[in-house]
Amino acid sequence: MNAKPAANNFPKLHNAMWPGLVGKKSMGGAEPDLALDTMLDLTAKADVGGVKFDGVDIFLNNPHTDIDVSDDGLKALADKVRSKGLVIGSVVAPVWFFGTAMGEQEKRDGWLNCVRKTVRAAAKLRELGVRPYGVVRIDSAIGVTAWDADPKANTKLIAKTFREAGKKQTAWQQKFYKK
């Protein structure tokens, strides 16, 4: 059968970049990190019956992309991804390293600041034209055991922190997204 593969309009097919880091040396694991260039090359070359990846989802964490990456660094990343014929979709906020959506105010402030930085990077990538769609992926950054100590109160606090991020989102969008 010589069936031609269908165009992959929706859903878009993306390769997640964080498996190149999670469980690897830079994150305390035993396996070597997979370089971003290697992951992009493998993603661009992957082809299963004519179906290819549309893009990648990135994790703002070293050694791939520091959360405090400069605009020039984001431009270099955009150029690199674009040169492979790919786009960037989801941008994952590395909230686990900065705080939690639950607990003391200092932890929640660290979590909110991480989300703010991720929104800034995602907005810049969109402005650079390499991120035509996608979300900023967040997580409560709290383990089940800690949450389970008081599920009702902890769920309320997590929801409050997420709402605060949502309220701040409007201000962040005005600052980072050009209209």
Side-chain angles (χ1 to χ4, degrees):
M1 181 172 171
N2 285 337
K4 191 173 186 179
N8 193 36
N9 284 331
F10 294 102
K12 296 296 186 184
L13 185 59
H14 281 226
N15 190 15
M17 297 291 99
W18 53 94
L21 301 177
V22 175
K24 308 297 189 267
K25 284 196 189 282
S26 65
M27 298 187 73
E31 296 291 321
D33 295 340
L34 293 176
L36 180 61
D37 289 342
T38 300
M39 293 192 74
L40 290 172
D41 285 341
L42 292 171
T43 301
K45 291 176 185 173
D47 185 323
V48 177
V51 177
K52 299 176 72 65
F53 284 107
D54 298 297
V56 295
D57 295 332
I58 64 170
F59 180 46
L60 291 180
N61 199 59
N62 289 323
H64 285 182
T65 307
D66 190 283
I67 191 161
D68 291 314
V69 62
S70 67
D71 285 355
D72 288 342
L74 288 168
K75 183 177 182 330
L77 174 64
D79 291 345
K80 185 180 292 195
V81 170
R82 192 180 292 111
S83 77
K84 302 292 181 187
L86 301 168
V87 297
I88 295 172
S90 298
V91 179
V92 178
V95 290
W96 282 90
F97 307 112
F98 294 90
T100 69
M102 185 184 101
E104 295 126 20
Q105 188 64 49
E106 182 180 349
K107 292 281 188 186
R108 294 194 321 272
D109 288 346
W111 185 93
L112 287 164
N113 192 42
C114 177
V115 173
R116 180 191 58 79
K117 290 177 178 186
T118 304
V119 168
R120 182 201 74 82
K124 186 66 178 176
L125 291 166
R126 184 171 307 245
E127 182 183 307
L128 292 166
V130 73
R131 190 172 171 266
Y133 52 82
V135 299
V136 171
R137 188 175 144 217
I138 59 174
D139 178 300
S140 64
I142 195 71
V144 174
T145 303
W147 169 83
D148 194 42
D150 189 348
K152 188 172 183 177
N154 289 334
T155 299
K156 280 185 174 185
L157 187 53
I158 291 168
K160 177 184 175 188
T161 307
F162 274 58
R163 277 193 304 277
E164 188 175 343
K167 287 177 186 173
K168 288 184 176 190
Q169 179 65 29
T170 301
W172 296 338
Q173 283 178 335
Q174 290 172 354
K175 183 175 180 181
F176 300 127
Y177 284 90
K178 293 185 178 181
K179 295 190 178 200

